[in-house]
Amino acid sequence: MSAVKRSTAWLVRSLREVLEREGPTHACAFLRIGLALNVWACWSRRLLLFEQLTLPRAAIALAFFVCSTAFLLGWHTRIAAFGLALVASAIYYYMGGTLHIDAFHHHHTYILVMGLWFVALTPCGRSLSLDRWFALRRAERTGTPPPPEWGPLWAMHLIALQVTVVYLGSAFDKSHEGFLRGVRHEHLLHFLYLGSDTLPQSPLVTFVLLAMGTGTVILEYALAIGLWVPRLRAPLIVVGLAFHGVLYVLLPLSTFSTTMAVLYLAYLPAETVTKVWTRLTAPTLAVAE
Amino acid sequence: MPWKSWIRFAAWCALALFVIGGPLYTQVFKQRSRWIRPWRMYSSKGLEACRLEFRRRDLDGDETRLERLALLGYPRWVDAPKNVRLVTDTAKAERQGRTICARLGGRADVRMYLDCGKKRARWAPRAQGERNLCQR
């Protein structure tokens, strides 16, 4: 078989595995909860009704609060998820893009919009939700087994792909001499912390700025590729979370860091997330019994 | 393949294409689109910041760096309000320079070195000590 045929067969096989993949749904549920909290942290203050007095904006704001609450609680989750994704798109494209309300038109709001659409395609309401609670009660009443916390996970790969593309795009944009020498870090240091007094001209300062600039770009490329490699995943997740944590504390990034941290769940095998959750909650259940 | 699988396949491919193709279109091919956001983050934050240094020139032409904030009345850096600590334009820098001239008695030779943030991680020079700020 030629190399082209072998590669095509491998691609078709891999795509089939992705599309037919099923598994436990706790990871999707954590994604749902994490994104709901991020969305509230990002937008809820600005969408309070006294800030949105015209009809389309008030309607969007009301829809936001209804859908995001249902989404967080996992009530009629599929409808709430798609509803929230639609509302988030209206916030980004209409309020941010058309009405030019700057607060709604940033990369940290765009990643939320993309994340919400992809999570809406997962069975994120089958675990840790009101829907699950009602399903359990129905099963008890009728004496039938409860529905399994199991479902198709093909959209999880899209979430991971989105995170990878964010890192690749960001690293690509920063791959020029000025950033690698640390000049952007210097801009931010002066603007946010030091004021206008010049830094001392010393090899140590030059080295630190160079390390910050080059290190950022190398790390972003490493995260883009390494998070797909099972052996590198755990250490890179730790490094990635630390990286985003440091940025969250040092820079006014709004919810970008926390959103990326939540989306990391898409890289973890769903079975691992469920195993950890079961282990964490099992002693509590044993005490209750 | 059942029709549900075909729909899933089409949806997955379309979304993957959007995720990958979007930044390719806007960042690699440098096209603009209302619907796709490039992953170009934080590229303009902090560009207002300027680096500023005042130096006193003696008769021999040697220059000594002046402690700008101390001469403006803030012996500790953290005591200076942000709008004094951070200079964002030439006019503001010159005003600070004239204040420093007055504090030094008006006859000093004070030179201003100023550069301000510019896109693509650069500094744009605005003043390189060309004139004596204390001379009217």
Side-chain angles (χ1 to χ4, degrees), chain A residues 75-218:
Chain A
W75 183 59
H76 293 295
T77 313
R78 187 72 80 180
I79 299 171
F82 276 109
L84 184 59
L86 255 171
V87 169
S89 303
I91 290 170
Y92 179 81
Y93 287 109
Y94 173 64
M95 294 175 81
T98 304
L99 298 183
H100 301 293
I101 304 173
D102 186 60
F104 298 126
H105 207 251
H106 285 279
H107 55 272
H108 65 265
T109 48
Y110 187 69
I111 188 70
L112 274 173
V113 172
M114 297 304 292
L116 287 170
W117 276 111
F118 294 144
V119 164
L121 295 168
T122 68
C124 57
R126 290 202 194 163
S127 298
L128 304 169
S129 62
L130 278 178
D131 289 345
R132 176 73 186 160
W133 177 257
F134 292 137
L136 288 172
R137 279 184 24 177
R138 247 191 326 269
E140 278 169 16
R141 264 204 318 272
T142 57
T144 51
E149 291 179 278
W150 193 266
L153 300 178
W154 58 275
M156 295 290 266
H157 270 86
L158 286 170
I159 298 171
L161 182 66
Q162 177 64 84
V163 173
T164 293
V165 167
V166 170
Y167 283 132
L168 272 177
S170 176
F172 176 79
D173 179 60
K174 295 179 177 102
S175 298
H176 59 86
E177 191 225 341
F179 191 96
L180 294 169
R181 281 194 298 114
V183 178
R184 273 302 285 146
H185 291 79
E186 207 183 344
H187 287 161
L188 291 166
L189 265 173
H190 282 289
F191 183 73
L192 294 171
Y193 293 96
L194 302 177
S196 291
D197 284 345
T198 51
L199 288 167
Q201 299 297 305
S202 77
L204 178 65
V205 169
T206 308
F207 174 75
V208 168
L209 288 173
L210 178 72
M212 283 162 65
T214 313
T216 302
V217 174
I218 291 174

Side-chain angles (χ1 to χ4, degrees), chain A residues 15 22-23 35 43 54 56 63 68 79 83 100 131 136 142 157 161 191 198 216 232-233 241 254 259 261 271 279 282:
Chain A
L15 196 53
E22 292 199 348
L35 280 181
W43 285 328
T54 60
S68 60
I79 299 171
H100 301 293
D131 289 345
L136 288 172
T142 57
H157 270 86
L161 182 66
F191 183 73
T198 51
T216 302
L232 300 177
R233 189 174 294 141
L241 289 175
S254 187
T259 304
E271 293 77 10
R279 202 167 169 187

